[in-house]
Amino acid sequence: MSSQMNHWGRGRGLSRLLARETNISDLIQFLSDRDPSPWAEVVGFVPDEIKREGSKTENYADLVLKSGSDSAAVEVKLGHSMSKEQQAAYESRPGRSPYLAALSFDEGRLTETDKELWQFLSLSNLVGKWEQSNDELARLLAREAATVLRDWDDMISGVFEPPTSSQALPLAILGEKFLARVVTRRITVDLSTAGKWAWAGVTSGGGLPIVQAWTPIHGETIDRAFIAEIRWSSNRLRGELRFGVDFDPRPQQSEDEEVRRAAYDLAHSMDAIINYNCLKDHLAEVQPNLIDLLVPKRGSGRPEAKGDWESVIKHGFKGSPLGNGKKNNRRQTTPGFYGDGALRFEAAVDVDFEHTSALDLIGLLDTTLEYLSSNQPAPA
């Protein structure tokens, strides 16, 4: 694969246009203006008004359909997800349940409560309603757009197929970030079902997909946990597995020396465990098929220690400026672990996405957390 193909893109032609949620909403409005009749099968009435970006009282919905006293709000999503505030605002509106229009695989992340409050619409199925329209322009445009949307659905479902399936695809097939974000969201559902805490989003600064999972240390909760995470990179053919210790301040408390020292002391006591070579030995015993997916960085998968970490423990990064007066951070001072801030301590290894599926990532994250948990020091 050429270096140009290694990087994220937004497709070509119609695929590039549809890679934006606003453009999909505009397309659905255009199709509706040409022929509103397909909506009868979807919402139960034929709208005589199709608004884009509803009013404040309509929660600024992407699409608002109206016909007399009937109305329906449709929220269109690709890579993004609703904030808790936006979702709550929709769910508090009187009348008909709102509709969520998204790529087909996103339906699987809806909880039972979500399903009671929302009606899900597959974007490929929704746009496909116009493929049989009597309006020629709407019919032709819908066929082309639905084909793109179905291709995206197939890519996403393919990375969740078992390796024995003829439909199985590697993660490298996902050429656009929003497709990977749909995948990470579904991974969190499967990990949560397995009893792990999980979150999907994007990296700060780079906006690259990331999925993180945690399991608590003995007798603790989410603010004292082991972490395993997969970070996509600017080269979409590779990701990165990071694993180790991740602490947060207690609820209603701020980061201080006590929590910084507790996090570091646990990581330091597991120095031989938060190590790629040791993880590799463990995988060889329990899931040897995962080893071939990993591409070691160097040695243990940890950086060299640099700077005065004890000062960071005592005073935090803000209280430990560099000698030249510049702000301190993890790039300037590190205790010999990767991490963000002063409470996370990890080793790292690359993951070959050309040969890795979403099922592999679920197995890798789950197995890595079990590895960390089973090797933690006995409670004092």
Side-chain angles (χ1 to χ4, degrees):
M1 188 174 290
S2 69
S3 60
Q4 185 176 3
M5 294 293 287
N6 293 354
H7 299 287
W8 300 99
R10 281 184 44 219
R12 294 174 60 85
L14 190 57
S15 177
R16 183 178 178 86
L17 289 171
L18 293 179
R20 288 184 176 273
E21 293 166 358
T22 53
N23 291 350
I24 291 182
S25 297
D26 290 341
L27 169 68
I28 295 172
Q29 183 188 45
F30 177 79
L31 295 175
S32 302
D33 288 344
R34 301 289 301 191
D35 177 10
S37 64
W39 282 111
E41 184 181 347
V42 179
V43 300
F45 65 89
V46 177
D48 50 37
E49 181 182 6
I50 302 96
K51 293 171 58 179
R52 277 283 286 116
E53 299 176 351
S55 65
K56 182 178 181 180
T57 59
E58 295 161 336
N59 203 38
Y60 306 110
D62 292 317
L63 292 162
V64 179
L65 316 176
K66 291 187 174 182
S67 178
S69 60
D70 284 324
S71 68
V74 182
E75 183 69 21
V76 176
K77 291 297 181 186
L78 280 178
H80 297 93
S81 55
M82 283 181 286
S83 66
K84 291 181 179 179
E85 293 76 15
Q86 184 185 25
Q87 183 170 340
Y90 266 118
E91 294 170 356
S92 64
R93 292 178 69 248
R96 178 192 299 264
S97 298
Y99 292 82
L100 174 62
L103 295 176
S104 297
F105 224 71
D106 255 343
E107 184 174 13
R109 68 184 179 89
L110 299 181
T111 66
E112 291 303 315
T113 300
D114 290 335
K115 293 175 183 177
E116 293 176 1
L117 299 172
W118 290 82
Q119 301 182 66
F120 184 83
L121 299 174
S122 159
L123 280 171
S124 58
N125 289 342
L126 176 59
V127 173
K129 301 292 184 185
W130 278 268
E131 289 182 288
Q132 304 304 320
S133 172
N134 290 327
D135 184 273
E136 183 179 14
L137 178 56
R139 183 172 65 251
L140 294 175
L141 184 54
R143 286 177 182 173
E144 294 299 322
T147 296
V148 172
L149 293 167
R150 290 183 189 119
D151 285 345
W152 289 343
D153 284 341
D154 290 344
M155 288 182 194
I156 294 168
S157 62
V159 302
F160 283 91
E161 289 288 332
T164 54
S165 170
S166 61
Q167 306 300 314
L169 294 170
L171 290 166
I173 198 70
L174 305 174
E176 308 191 48
K177 294 177 185 177
F178 70 86
L179 296 175
R181 292 192 65 184
V182 175
V183 169
T184 60
R185 289 198 292 263
R186 181 54 183 270
I187 288 174
T188 66
V189 173
D190 291 342
L191 288 169
S192 297
T193 301
K196 305 298 188 295
W197 282 298
W199 173 85
V202 296
T203 57
S204 59
L208 294 166
I210 182 173
V211 57
Q212 298 174 311
W214 297 266
T215 193
I217 65 175
H218 288 309
E220 283 289 353
T221 58
I222 188 65
D223 51 34
R224 299 289 188 276
F226 296 112
I227 184 173
E229 57 179 332
I230 297 290
R231 301 181 177 210
W232 269 250
S233 68
S234 57
N235 176 349
R236 63 183 176 83
L237 305 186
R238 279 198 180 181
E240 182 184 59
L241 167 68
R242 291 190 178 193
F243 60 98
V245 169
D246 187 30
F247 279 24
D248 279 314
R250 299 293 191 189
Q252 312 306 318
Q253 295 185 14
S254 301
E255 180 184 314
D256 57 16
E257 179 180 354
E258 181 181 3
V259 66
R260 288 191 291 264
R261 191 170 297 282
Y264 175 72
D265 284 350
L266 176 59
H268 184 68
S269 72
M270 297 178 67
D271 183 80
I273 302 301
I274 306 174
N275 180 306
Y276 166 67
N277 294 318
C278 193
L279 174 64
K280 180 181 177 182
D281 291 341
H282 176 75
L283 293 176
E285 295 180 3
V286 297
Q287 287 209 52
N289 59 300
L290 296 177
I291 295 176
D292 292 338
L293 309 178
L294 304 180
V295 184
K297 293 177 179 291
R298 61 178 183 180
S300 66
R302 300 235 304 265
E304 296 290 333
K306 180 173 62 173
D308 185 357
W309 189 255
E310 179 62 23
S311 176
V312 174
I313 290 178
K314 290 182 177 179
H315 309 293
F317 278 117
K318 288 185 177 180
S320 305
L322 300 175
N324 56 11
K326 292 185 178 180
K327 292 182 179 180
N328 202 353
N329 55 46
R330 200 62 180 260
R331 291 187 297 274
Q332 305 299 327
T333 304
T334 174
F337 295 89
Y338 290 109
D340 304 308
L343 300 178
R344 187 176 294 170
F345 303 87
E346 299 171 297
V349 58
D350 284 346
V351 183
D352 179 5
F353 281 175
E354 290 188 274
H355 299 95
T356 302
S357 70
L359 296 181
D360 291 325
L361 291 190
I362 294 169
L364 185 59
L365 290 168
D366 188 57
T367 302
T368 301
L369 287 176
E370 294 295 339
Y371 158 77
L372 291 168
S373 184
S374 64
N375 284 286
Q376 63 186 298

